[in-house]
Amino acid sequence: MGQPVERESGARTSGDRASDGATPRPELPPGQRLQRGWPVTHYGPVPKFRPERWDFRVFGATADGEKHSWTHEEFTALPYATVTADLHCVTKYSMLGAEWGGIPARTILDIAPPAQGVTHVMVWAEYGFSSNLRLDDFTSECTIFATHKDGELLTAEHGFPLRLIVPHLYAWKGPKWVRGVEYMTADRRGFWEERGYHNIGDPWREQRYSYQEEPGDGPEL
Ligand SMILES: Nc1nc2c(c(=O)[nH]1)N[C@H]1C(S)=C(S)[C@@H](COP(=O)(O)O)O[C@H]1N2
Ligand SMILES: [Mo]
């Protein structure tokens, strides 16, 4: 396999536009442009959803040392919430103001808590796609496992039946077709983070590429 390339497709989330009330934040992070519509961006094929084979797993350093799993029916019966947020693709387009509906990440942390000492999570998707997050990014109240956008079920290309939205990070940090979460006691790079994207990925600090990382931003490449 050659070097994977991210193909056009993207989204954006608009959470708090003005972070501190005093100085309104510009709408777009530096270097981003507004995109009309909602492109589709990912590497590889769109997986087929097979409800009877689908499960959502929480594993790794869980508080009780057990693995947890939910069927599609069980997972989608968890309390539904919405988050309005922008989506910023590192290829420089942004989509503003989508309403994401689904299950907040905090719900998962409540019902399947991590062990003490967990600092990061790896979010796993179909075909082994993954992205790592600091625990704080995952526990943010805006981080949500989305089943819906603007009141409609996600389409297959956009991650049906489930995708993660982390509004305050670049969109590659939000896997489509997500299948589980691994609790980790040390950081490890996910799919794009191993392939040249920044380990943290804050769009407001324009943390696009791994060569911009400073000591402490991520595990050695
Ligand atoms: N499973 C998976 N999820 C993924 C990706 C991917 O390649 N595979 N690409 C990410 C990137 S780079 C972006 S910009 C967004 C795009 O989401 P969209 O296609 O719904 O706009 O999905 C993210 N989630
Ligand atoms: Mo992206």
Side-chain angles (χ1 to χ4, degrees):
M1 184 173 83
Q3 182 74 1
V5 177
E6 175 180 343
R7 305 246 165 62
E8 180 71 353
S9 130
R12 80 174 215 187
T13 68
S14 67
D16 49 337
R17 302 276 171 80
S19 48
D20 59 8
T23 1
R25 223 182 209 187
E27 218 175 29
L28 290 175
Q32 295 294 111
R33 58 184 155 70
L34 202 55
Q35 172 83 41
R36 271 177 214 289
W38 189 13
V40 172
T41 305
H42 56 263
Y43 172 72
V46 174
K48 196 172 168 69
F49 173 53
R50 294 189 181 82
E52 68 290 351
R53 287 209 216 151
W54 193 95
D55 60 3
F56 185 90
R57 294 180 197 199
V58 174
F59 59 100
T62 56
D64 61 7
E66 304 284 324
K67 296 177 180 152
H68 300 259
S69 85
W70 294 262
T71 63
H72 185 247
E73 202 178 339
E74 289 165 344
F75 195 85
T76 51
L78 293 171
Y80 184 88
T82 60
V83 168
T84 299
D86 305 330
L87 192 141
H88 308 293
C89 175
V90 69
T91 63
K92 301 202 168 176
Y93 70 83
S94 289
M95 175 176 86
L96 296 181
E99 185 201 80
W100 305 98
I103 293 92
R106 283 190 177 183
T107 302
I108 305 306
L109 288 155
D110 286 345
I111 60 181
Q116 284 205 350
V118 168
T119 55
H120 293 79
V121 304
M122 189 72 80
V123 181
W124 288 99
E126 301 286 359
Y127 302 135
F129 184 87
S130 62
S131 186
N132 57 317
L133 296 169
R134 297 171 295 192
L135 186 60
D136 285 351
D137 295 318
F138 190 65
T139 56
S140 159
E141 62 181 342
C142 291
T143 299
I144 186 166
F145 289 98
T147 53
H148 290 71
K149 179 189 163 273
D150 296 324
E152 295 191 7
L153 268 185
L154 293 173
T155 58
E157 315 79 74
H158 288 302
F160 179 82
L162 194 68
R163 73 174 299 165
L164 187 66
I165 296 291
V166 189
H168 61 287
L169 299 179
Y170 283 117
W172 87 77
K173 289 287 190 182
K176 306 195 273 193
W177 315 294
V178 59
R179 289 289 300 276
V181 176
E182 177 185 357
Y183 293 145
M184 308 194 295
T185 53
D187 199 6
R188 225 166 66 218
R189 289 175 189 268
F191 182 89
W192 288 118
E193 294 83 3
E194 272 185 337
R195 292 168 175 80
Y197 284 178
H198 197 285
N199 191 56
I200 297 185
D202 179 347
W204 299 95
R205 299 175 66 187
E206 244 191 307
Q207 294 175 328
R208 297 179 190 273
Y209 308 111
S210 52
Y211 64 74
Q212 300 171 294
E213 287 175 17
E214 297 187 9
D217 282 347
E220 246 168 78
L221 269 166

